[in-house]
Amino acid sequence: MMTTPAVPMLCDVNVLLALATDRHAAHTAAVRWLDDVPVGGATICRIAQTGLLQLLNNPAVMREDVLDTTACWGLWCRFLEDERIHFIPTEPPSLDATFERFTSGRMFTPKLWPDAYLAAYAQVSGLVLVTFDHGFRQFDSLACHVLESGQLPL
């Protein structure tokens, strides 16, 4: 059994996508994790929401399972019906200072900005970031729970 931290967790997009489709290589691991989450224990912020919707609507990612925009919103509503999931559409105060600290002096990578944003959001909100991406360990002092899928996610 997976040990889930007792404090609320901020979901990375890769966890949300794995939860959204049973064809994702990490779906089973994501569902096992969510099964262990208490009411309100899984938090989603706006950038993770938009990232999920963008991926679900992208034929290069979803292939034959791509969703049109109406279906994306339907899936999003099903996420929100789950009492374990809590959506916070606003940013926490002082986010920018931590976001800047997590990006300053780093070389560009395609995931730098959204990953640094999620890391900063989690840190200033007192949340543990839950992800399949070991790369989040690069952000000093970030509380991060890396799920193991046994396979590479999509």
Side-chain angles (χ1 to χ4, degrees):
M1 178 180 244
M2 203 176 301
T3 304
T4 299
V7 299
M9 291 164 281
L10 179 65
C11 298
D12 185 10
V13 176
N14 62 27
V15 173
L16 297 175
L17 185 61
L19 288 169
T21 176
D22 61 2
R23 294 186 56 168
H24 192 288
H27 177 74
T28 301
V31 169
R32 279 195 318 256
W33 166 76
L34 189 61
D35 285 345
D36 203 26
V37 170
V39 171
T43 301
I44 302 173
C45 67
R46 180 70 72 193
I47 197 169
Q49 175 206 30
T50 58
L52 173 65
L53 295 172
Q54 178 183 10
L55 292 173
L56 292 170
N57 191 227
N58 184 336
V61 173
M62 297 299 292
R63 296 181 180 83
E64 66 273 1
D65 295 327
V66 67
L67 301 181
D68 64 26
T69 55
T70 301
C72 287
W73 284 114
L75 190 145
W76 175 250
C77 289
R78 287 191 299 281
F79 264 94
L80 297 181
E81 290 169 358
D82 189 317
E83 64 185 6
R84 297 166 294 185
I85 296 175
H86 177 65
F87 176 56
I88 302 175
T90 58
E91 293 182 335
S94 72
L95 175 67
D96 280 351
T98 303
F99 185 30
E100 182 179 351
R101 181 169 56 86
F102 282 165
T103 55
S104 291
R106 295 185 188 264
M107 298 297 296
F108 171 79
T109 65
K111 294 178 10 171
L112 172 65
W113 295 99
D115 284 1
Y117 179 93
L118 279 173
Y121 191 106
Q123 188 171 77
V124 300
S125 299
L127 301 169
V128 173
L129 182 71
V130 62
T131 184
F132 286 103
D133 186 350
H134 291 269
F136 277 98
R137 292 186 173 142
Q138 70 179 305
F139 300 110
D140 62 311
S141 68
L142 174 65
C144 187
H145 182 62
V146 179
L147 301 174
E148 299 297 333
S149 69
Q151 302 173 18
L152 293 176
L154 267 178

